[in-house]
Amino acid sequence: MIEATAIDAVLRTLADPTRRAIFERVVNADEITVVELTRGSGVTQGAISQHLKSLKQAGLVAERPEGRNVYYRAQPEGLVPLADWMSHYGVFWRERFANLKTLLKEIDP
């Protein structure tokens, strides 16, 4: 089975709607700073920084310091545990639906 700790971290991190919105903005940018993320977000710079810290700890973003600025970029590989977990259950449900289809054909040919 897929490592639960990594899945838990990603799910817990993306469960927060503000954090998810920040992550989407980072994904849609090549690189972005806290100042750019704060602009027009309605969230304080301190809150943005805390959300970025959580995203970084979950392996969803990486940072690159340059002078006084820190640039954030998405880490697509951070979503791999979640994608693997979903893939596992996709197989599970496809098998169940195939079994149901077979059963329904037996009941009503």
Side-chain angles (χ1 to χ4, degrees), residues 6 23-24 27 32 54 59 65 72 75 95 103:
F23 180 65
E24 287 178 22
V27 167
I32 194 165
S54 296
Y72 292 88
Q75 293 281 106
E95 288 175 2
L103 178 64

Side-chain angles (χ1 to χ4, degrees), residues 6 11 22 28 39 55 63-64 66 76 86 92-93 100 105:
L11 288 173
I22 291 168
N28 290 322
R39 258 187 236 125
L55 289 164
E63 63 182 22
R64 179 181 62 84
E66 185 178 294
M86 290 173 58
F92 170 83
W93 284 112
L100 178 60
K105 284 182 180 179

Side-chain angles (χ1 to χ4, degrees), residues 6 10 23 58-61 75-83:
V10 172
F23 180 65
L60 297 171
V61 299
Q75 293 281 106
E77 60 274 8
L79 291 170
V80 168
L82 180 59

Side-chain angles (χ1 to χ4, degrees), residues 8 11 15 19 23 27 30 43 46 57-58 68 74 80 85 104 109:
D8 290 348
L11 288 173
R19 199 172 296 132
F23 180 65
V27 167
D30 188 31
V43 181
Q57 288 174 339
R68 295 179 68 187
V80 168
W85 182 77
L104 291 174

